[in-house]
Amino acid sequence: MELPGKRTRGRPKEGGVRDDMRAVGVREEDAEDCLFEAWMQVTSTGPQTIRKAEGEGVTLGCKFNSSPSDTGELDIEWSVVSPDSTKKDQLLMSYTSGTKYIHANHILAIRFNFAAADPSVGDASLYIAPLSPAHSATYQCKVKKSPGVDTRKVTLVVMVKPSVPKCWVEGEELVGEAVSLHCKSEKGSTPLSYEWRRESEGPHPAPTTQTGVTAVLKISNHSLSTAGTYRCEVNNAVGSQLCRINIKANKPPNRVGVLVGTVVGSLLFIFIVLVFIAILYWKMSTRYRYEKEFSNEIREDAEPPESRLVSRYMSQSTKQHPEVTYCQVGWSEGSSSNEGRRFPPAAAMGSHQSNITASNVNIV
C-alpha cells in the first residue's frame, strides 16, 4: 500500500531496462535519455495532510509534466482511497478525451471541480467548496498518458472552528476571597486549546487550568491588583475565538454590622408577632364575654304564656279553699269537638272570674 504523498512513476525498473538495452547494443547514455523521455511525473508539492475549516474551499494540487514519449491519450482520475485495503477506491471524477465526468455514485462529488479550465495543459488539481466534515478523507490523483503514469495522495481533514466562548466568574468579587474565571466554547473540533490573559495593567494571572472542555483561571486571594479585564482565547487548527470579562474588587461587608442588624431584625419580628397574638386574644375573649352575658339576660317586657295564668289562678284558689272542687263553666258539652283549641284571652277570662267563684260557693 502506498503512503500519502508518494508518487509511483510509470517506468520499469532501471536495472532491468539497462540490462535489456545493453543486450541489444544500446549505449548507457542513450538508455538514460530514453528513460527520462518516457517519464510522466506529478510535480505538485506541499503538505501530505491539509486541515481546513468547515465552509471554506480547498485546492488539492496535482500538476504534472509529460514527455514527448508519452503519446497515449491523457486520462485523469480523482478517487477516495478506501481505509480498508481489501476494498476498492471510490472514483469521484475523471477526465478523458477532453471531457470531464462526475461519477454520481458519490454524493459529495457534486462539490468537486477541476481547478483549471483545461486540465490537459498540465494541471489536474481538484477544487472542493464548500467543505463539510464529510469531505475528510484521503484523495488520490492519477495521471496517465501511455506509457507514463504517476499518482499523488493527499489527506484532507475538515474541522469546525471554535464558537465564541462564554466567560463567567464564580465566587464573590470581594477582597481577600477566592475567585475563579471560567471559559467554555460550545462548538469546535477537538483538540481545543484555552488561554486566559489579562488585558489591563497589573500582575499576570496564574497559568490557565484546563479541565475537560472548560478553562479555569483561579485567583486564590483577590485584591485590587488582580481586578481588571481578562480575555479568554480558544483555538484549534483552523480558527480561534475569544471572550472578555471584567472583574471588580469590592470591599467585604461589615460582618459585625450585618450580625447586629440580623439580631435586631429578628427581635423586631418576634415582637410584632407577639403583639398580633395579644390583639387577637383580646378580641376573642371580649367577644366570648359579650355572648355569654347576652345569653343570660332576661327580658322584662316579655308576657308569660296565656295558659299559665289559668293554672296560677286555680293553684291559688285551691290553696285557699281545699274543699272546693272546680269545674269549667260556660262551656257546653258539644264543645268537646273543639278540643285542642286555646283558652280564651286573659281579658275574657277575667269577666268570668265572678261566676266561677259563685259556682264554687253554691257547690259547697
Side-chain angles (χ1 to χ4, degrees):
M1 183 177 178
E2 299 179 4
L3 297 176
K6 298 294 182 179
R7 296 188 293 270
T8 303
R9 294 177 175 84
R11 63 176 182 175
K13 294 182 179 179
E14 295 182 3
V17 173
R18 288 193 178 95
D19 294 340
D20 294 339
M21 288 186 175
R22 289 194 190 99
V24 297
V26 178
R27 293 184 306 173
E28 188 170 348
E29 292 82 359
D30 296 335
E32 290 293 340
D33 294 338
C34 293
L35 291 173
F36 180 80
E37 290 177 357
W39 185 9
M40 165 68 71
Q41 183 180 12
V42 175
T43 60
S44 292
T45 60
Q48 298 179 1
T49 301
I50 300 176
R51 290 179 174 85
K52 284 291 183 177
E54 180 183 15
E56 295 181 350
V58 64
T59 299
L60 305 181
C62 187
K63 293 182 178 181
F64 62 92
N65 288 329
S66 62
S67 70
S69 301
D70 298 328
T71 58
E73 187 176 354
L74 180 64
D75 186 13
I76 301 173
E77 291 181 356
W78 274 99
S79 59
V80 174
V81 179
S82 174
D84 188 352
S85 59
T86 61
K87 295 182 180 180
K88 292 183 179 181
D89 297 341
Q90 183 68 51
L91 184 61
L92 300 177
M93 190 169 60
S94 63
Y95 178 87
T96 304
S97 301
T99 304
K100 180 182 70 174
Y101 298 94
I102 296 178
H103 300 269
N105 56 351
H106 198 287
I107 190 171
L108 299 178
I110 59 176
R111 299 184 181 182
F112 298 158
N113 202 355
F114 285 106
D118 184 7
S120 64
V121 297
D123 189 359
S125 300
L126 179 65
Y127 180 73
I128 310 174
L131 290 172
S132 70
H135 287 111
S136 298
T138 299
Y139 296 85
Q140 176 177 271
C141 172
K142 182 179 180 181
V143 182
K144 180 180 179 182
K145 191 174 184 181
S146 297
V149 60
D150 199 6
T151 62
R152 181 173 187 256
K153 293 181 180 179
V154 180
T155 299
L156 175 63
V157 179
V158 181
M159 306 179 68
V160 178
K161 291 182 179 181
S163 60
V164 177
K166 176 184 178 182
C167 294
W168 74 95
V169 59
E170 290 186 359
E172 298 182 0
E173 301 175 30
L174 302 177
V175 174
E177 299 291 336
V179 177
S180 59
L181 306 181
H182 294 255
C183 176
K184 181 180 180 181
S185 182
E186 296 294 339
K187 296 181 180 179
S189 298
T190 57
L192 294 174
S193 176
Y194 293 88
E195 184 179 7
W196 276 101
R197 294 181 180 179
R198 184 172 183 178
E199 293 188 344
S200 56
E201 296 182 358
H204 191 74
T208 305
T209 302
Q210 186 167 340
T211 57
V213 295
T214 304
V216 181
L217 176 63
K218 295 183 178 180
I219 302 175
S220 58
N221 187 15
H222 189 39
S223 63
L224 292 174
S225 62
T226 56
T229 303
Y230 290 81
R231 178 182 69 184
C232 174
E233 184 175 352
V234 54
N235 59 77
N236 60 9
V238 294
S240 63
Q241 293 288 351
L242 58 86
C243 63
R244 292 180 174 86
I245 189 171
N246 183 46
I247 60 173
K248 301 178 180 179
N250 301 319
K251 293 183 179 180
N254 188 350
R255 300 186 183 276
V256 176
V258 173
L259 181 60
V260 172
T262 303
V263 173
V264 172
S266 301
L267 294 177
L268 181 60
F269 175 75
I270 294 173
F271 175 76
I272 294 174
V273 172
L274 293 177
V275 170
F276 176 76
I277 295 175
I279 294 174
L280 182 63
Y281 176 78
W282 176 76
K283 286 187 176 183
M284 293 183 65
S285 61
T286 302
R287 182 178 179 182
Y288 175 75
R289 288 196 303 267
Y290 173 77
E291 291 179 351
K292 185 176 181 180
E293 293 176 358
F294 181 79
S295 61
N296 295 331
E297 183 179 357
I298 301 176
R299 296 183 178 180
E300 296 180 356
D301 57 345
E303 295 182 357
E306 297 176 354
S307 59
R308 300 184 67 178
L309 292 174
V310 177
S311 300
R312 186 184 305 171
Y313 176 80
M314 295 182 66
S315 175
Q316 293 177 355
S317 302
T318 303
K319 290 180 181 180
Q320 295 175 358
H321 305 282
E323 70 281 3
V324 179
T325 302
Y326 294 92
C327 64
Q328 292 182 353
V329 178
W331 298 88
S332 62
E333 294 180 357
S335 63
S336 60
S337 61
N338 296 324
E339 291 180 2
R341 294 184 179 180
R342 293 184 179 180
F343 288 102
M349 181 168 284
S351 62
H352 293 288
Q353 288 181 358
S354 58
N355 296 332
I356 294 173
T357 304
S359 298
N360 292 338
V361 172
N362 292 332
I363 291 173
V364 173

